[in-house]
Amino acid sequence: MAGGTKRLPRAVREQQMLDAAVKVFSENGYREASMDSIAAEAEISKPMLYLYYGSKDELFSACIERESTRFIEAMSVGFDPSLRQRDQAYTVVKEFLRFVDEHRQSWKVLYRVAVGTQTFSHFVSDSRKRVTEMVTELIRAGTTVEGARDIDFELTAVALVGAGEAVADRITEGDVDLETATDLLVGITWRGLKGVGTADAGLD
Amino acid sequence: MAGGTKRLPRAVREQQMLDAAVKVFSENGYREASMDSIAAEAEISKPMLYLYYGSKDELFSACIERESTRFIEAMSVGFDPSLRQRDQAYTVVKEFLRFVDEHRQSWKVLYRVAVGTQTFSHFVSDSRKRVTEMVTELIRAGTTVEGARDIDFELTAVALVGAGEAVADRITEGDVDLETATDLLVGITWRGLKGVGTADAGLD
């Protein structure tokens, strides 16, 4: 920082630009977001923005990459094979919904904006696939049912991830509190895991 | 039909154009679908297509309207208050997945193409809202749990609809058979309804 406050390290400045871009993209969608508004939000000049990220496409791509990495990292933290099954289900759901609650713009950029583009929707598919694989393994590890097939595990995970995404959408809309949503999803997840303890899961 | 086979009634011709448009939109997305390719698919001239549907926007809008009406109608058929709770859950899920399986293009146009557009995504939100309301009422009617709140019913419905959409996506990809998917979703729905009979639902 020898140059004073105006000469930020490159890495810091890059993150600030991405922060601004995620905000503008999440609020306006890809097509309506202008490089002007992103530069203004980041309090830098538009040429500077172009110097760092050659085009709106590249900038959006960098946003999606950062946000999906953050998302996958947050989810990975929740996975801990040393936990009891029920605690594991709770931890995964809690980490997931907390991430969404604390990073509403990330969620919107990934699951509202990128998902609707031809060029970037595969980032969302990839994130979803990785999370679904994690959940599949979680279900497989915790199941004592005889004769369950791979497709049963995988499809249960698909359903639970779908349920999670739908609830997450409601959280970003701000009309559901985090604790209610977590308890509800844990109930469904837990019943999806078909463990003991269904009696205290869910609607009560 | 006095004019012979070439002079189709207007209503029939309109449906043929919409069939062609749904096919082309579902395969290519909104932006990549051209009026030329839709006219070719419908085996009519492009001026004729424009005569019936003034613009690509209007044509897409007509597609979305028809498909979301069909979807809601198919779902409504499944709702029958005279059924036992478990049979009701089974019927709703079966009607839903059968609709998706038989109308893969409808599903793709609504939940892949329209959902990613700024102009048409509200059609999908509206469909989803109506289905979620139906499911909320179904859950409310079948719940014997004391002290459940509106948000518990609604959020459970949100989660189940999300699970259903995720499984439906897999069906349109053709990698899951209808019966497996129905059994799995019924299990999850049933457990979501928190009725009796959890022991035989789900993974087994």
Side-chain angles (χ1 to χ4, degrees):
Chain A
M1 304 267 203
T5 52
K6 289 216 171 174
R7 284 208 67 224
L8 291 170
R10 183 182 174 96
V12 173
R13 197 186 287 279
E14 276 177 358
Q15 295 305 312
Q16 285 179 346
M17 290 183 205
L18 290 180
D19 289 342
V22 165
K23 183 168 190 291
V24 174
F25 283 127
S26 74
E27 285 168 1
N28 301 288
Y30 179 74
R31 218 184 313 177
E32 307 290 314
S34 71
M35 292 297 263
D36 279 310
S37 55
I38 294 168
E41 179 67 37
E43 296 179 2
I44 55 161
S45 68
K46 195 159 77 163
M48 173 77 92
L49 187 60
Y50 275 104
L51 189 69
Y52 275 75
Y53 300 97
S55 66
K56 191 166 105 172
D57 232 55
E58 281 173 57
L59 177 57
F60 189 63
S61 179
C63 289
I64 297 302
E65 209 160 320
R66 188 182 75 170
E67 302 311 320
S68 60
T69 303
R70 280 183 176 175
F71 175 58
I72 290 292
E73 276 171 8
M75 290 305 293
S76 304
V77 166
F79 281 85
D80 176 356
S82 73
L83 290 176
R84 283 190 313 147
Q85 197 66 17
R86 172 105 205 210
D87 297 336
Q88 173 66 97
Y90 184 77
T91 305
V92 167
V93 169
K94 200 184 62 186
E95 290 301 326
F96 168 59
L97 293 181
R98 188 163 62 191
F99 176 85
V100 173
D101 190 44
E102 288 175 3
H103 299 86
R104 292 179 188 202
Q105 292 174 351
S106 300
W107 182 259
K108 281 188 189 169
V109 161
L110 288 171
Y111 281 83
R112 293 271 177 83
V113 183
V115 83
T117 65
Q118 292 232 321
T119 320
F120 301 104
S121 62
H122 71 94
F123 277 104
V124 183
S125 311
D126 290 349
S127 282
R128 182 180 286 143
K129 195 164 166 247
R130 289 179 63 184
V131 171
T132 304
E133 281 166 3
M134 289 188 208
V135 174
T136 303
E137 287 317 305
L138 174 58
I139 297 172
R140 193 194 304 275
T143 299
T144 53
V145 179
E146 299 280 330
R149 297 164 300 166
D150 278 352
I151 186 72
D152 295 320
F153 294 128
E154 199 205 328
L155 211 55
T156 303
V158 165
L160 295 179
V161 169
E165 290 180 9
V167 171
D169 266 348
R170 286 303 177 94
I171 284 185
T172 64
E173 286 162 18
D175 57 357
V176 175
D177 76 280
L178 192 57
E179 204 186 331
T180 301
T182 305
D183 288 347
L184 182 115
L185 253 191
V186 169
I188 291 178
T189 305
W190 183 243
R191 282 171 284 170
L193 291 172
K194 203 179 158 59
V196 292
T198 10
D200 63 349
L203 298 177
D204 44 3
Chain B
M1 304 264 208
T5 52
K6 290 215 168 171
R7 285 207 64 224
L8 290 171
R10 184 181 173 96
V12 174
R13 197 187 289 278
E14 277 178 358
Q15 295 305 312
Q16 286 180 345
M17 290 183 202
L18 289 181
D19 290 342
V22 166
K23 183 168 189 290
V24 174
F25 283 127
S26 74
E27 285 168 2
N28 302 289
Y30 180 74
R31 216 181 318 176
E32 305 291 314
S34 71
M35 291 297 262
D36 278 313
S37 54
I38 294 168
E41 179 68 36
E43 296 179 2
I44 55 162
S45 68
K46 194 159 79 165
M48 174 77 92
L49 187 60
Y50 275 104
L51 189 68
Y52 274 74
Y53 301 97
S55 67
K56 191 166 108 173
D57 233 54
E58 282 174 55
L59 178 57
F60 189 63
S61 178
C63 289
I64 297 303
E65 208 160 322
R66 188 183 74 170
E67 301 311 321
S68 60
T69 302
R70 280 182 177 176
F71 175 59
I72 290 292
E73 277 172 7
M75 291 304 292
S76 304
V77 167
F79 281 86
D80 176 355
S82 72
L83 290 175
R84 285 189 314 148
Q85 197 66 18
R86 172 106 204 208
D87 297 336
Q88 173 66 100
Y90 184 78
T91 306
V92 168
V93 170
K94 199 184 63 184
E95 290 301 325
F96 168 59
L97 293 181
R98 188 163 61 189
F99 176 85
V100 174
D101 191 44
E102 288 174 3
H103 299 87
R104 293 181 187 198
Q105 292 175 348
S106 300
W107 181 258
K108 281 189 190 166
V109 161
L110 289 171
Y111 282 82
R112 295 268 177 83
V113 183
V115 83
T117 65
Q118 291 232 322
T119 319
F120 300 105
S121 63
H122 71 93
F123 277 103
V124 183
S125 310
D126 290 349
S127 282
R128 182 181 284 142
K129 196 163 165 249
R130 289 180 62 182
V131 171
T132 304
E133 281 167 3
M134 288 189 210
V135 175
T136 303
E137 286 317 305
L138 175 59
I139 297 171
R140 194 194 303 275
T143 299
T144 53
V145 179
E146 298 281 330
R149 297 163 300 164
D150 279 352
I151 187 71
D152 294 321
F153 293 127
E154 200 205 327
L155 211 55
T156 303
V158 165
L160 295 179
V161 170
E165 289 181 8
V167 171
D169 265 348
R170 286 302 177 97
I171 284 185
T172 64
E173 286 163 16
D175 56 357
V176 175
D177 76 280
L178 193 57
E179 203 185 333
T180 302
T182 304
D183 287 347
L184 181 116
L185 252 190
V186 169
I188 290 178
T189 304
W190 184 243
R191 282 170 283 171
L193 292 172
K194 202 176 159 63
V196 293
T198 8
D200 62 350
L203 297 175
D204 43 2

